[in-house]
Amino acid sequence: MRQLITLFALGMTAISAVHAGDYTAEIDASRATVSEFMQTLKQELLAGMQDGGPVNAISVCNLSAPAIANTYSVRNDWDVGRTSLRVRNPANAPDPWELSVLEAFEERKRAGEDPAKMEHHEVVRQDGVKKLRYMKAIPTAKLCLACHGEHVDSIARARLEKLYPDDQALGYRTGDIRGAFSITQPLGTAGK
Ligand code: HEC
């Protein structure tokens, strides 16, 4: 019986949240990366739209967004990306932890919280390694509607259909939560 309880406890710690120590610096580092990611994406998107409208900017999102995320991942040895409850690119689909946070964000929005300020962080233990997981909600702005809205121009729509046959990221309205940035930082086996 005792063994069973121990096993059960071990099983729980393998997936459960760890009581957080002081990870203020690591949380701030995640926040800084998200802010840089957001700025870079917005600049590239605006430049792409100015050069040739949404159709041109689709290539920017298609190629640049994953490339930028990858640069941040490699630079820090983190996992950096974007995800959503309704993804355009299936490669951005949420894992179970991200899914529960995205659902909680929707709940918080229903309770009146502003999506622009929504974030969540948690220290978890995965495969014996402590990891800091951080997510920040991404609200839908007017600029996003050209490619995620209810009335996407037919040429842009055709281009999107070709690139993303399983696209679920249409039909959004301003203020909706489009998705979230997500960062996983390994904290190592030792320490706090
Ligand atoms: C010019 C078209 C275009 C515009 C404008 C645009 N997006 Fe996207 N968006 C895309 C494409 C294409 C992808 C798929 C990128 C990929 O393959 O990872 C995407 C993916 C995303 C994702 C990743 C999750 C998913 O659905 O795969 C998020 C989050 C997102 N966009 C948010 C936004 C927000 C917020 C705005 C406005 C600030 C915006 N987008 C504006 C084309 C656009």
Side-chain angles (χ1 to χ4, degrees), residues 150-161:
E150 294 175 301
H151 308 288
V152 174
D153 138 326
S154 60
I155 302 174
R157 210 179 177 116
R159 178 97 186 104
L160 286 171
E161 270 168 22

Side-chain angles (χ1 to χ4, degrees), residues 96-176:
W97 185 85
E98 289 170 326
L99 183 64
S100 67
V101 176
L102 286 166
E103 281 167 351
F105 282 166
E106 289 295 343
E107 198 59 45
R108 285 162 63 175
K109 180 170 178 286
R110 276 195 290 276
E113 199 176 328
D114 177 4
K117 296 188 183 130
M118 255 179 229
E119 59 167 16
H120 178 76
H121 51 78
E122 197 171 315
V123 178
V124 300
R125 192 183 288 278
Q126 245 172 292
D127 309 322
V129 182
K130 268 191 197 177
K131 296 179 182 179
L132 174 69
R133 302 205 63 173
Y134 173 85
M135 278 174 79
K136 179 165 175 56
I138 312 174
T140 308
K142 213 167 166 196
L143 159 75
C144 320
L145 301 181
C147 297
H148 294 294
E150 294 175 301
H151 308 288
V152 174
D153 138 326
S154 60
I155 302 174
R157 210 179 177 116
R159 178 97 186 104
L160 286 171
E161 270 168 22
K162 200 155 176 225
L163 287 168
Y164 305 99
D166 300 320
D167 191 2
Q168 301 173 64
L170 289 166
Y172 284 88
R173 294 180 190 179
T174 314
D176 286 348

Side-chain angles (χ1 to χ4, degrees), residues 9-19 23 97 122-133 184-185 187-192:
L10 280 174
M12 290 294 285
T13 53
I15 47 157
S16 67
V18 173
H19 206 70
Y23 292 110
W97 185 85
E122 197 171 315
V123 178
V124 300
R125 192 183 288 278
Q126 245 172 292
D127 309 322
V129 182
K130 268 191 197 177
K131 296 179 182 179
L132 174 69
R133 302 205 63 173
T184 305
Q185 264 189 70
L187 297 168
T189 41
K192 308 180 200 183

Side-chain angles (χ1 to χ4, degrees), residues 83-88 94 148 167-172 176 178:
T83 186
S84 175
L85 288 174
R86 282 158 48 199
V87 288
R88 168 150 291 164
H148 294 294
D167 191 2
Q168 301 173 64
L170 289 166
Y172 284 88
D176 286 348
R178 175 58 268 275

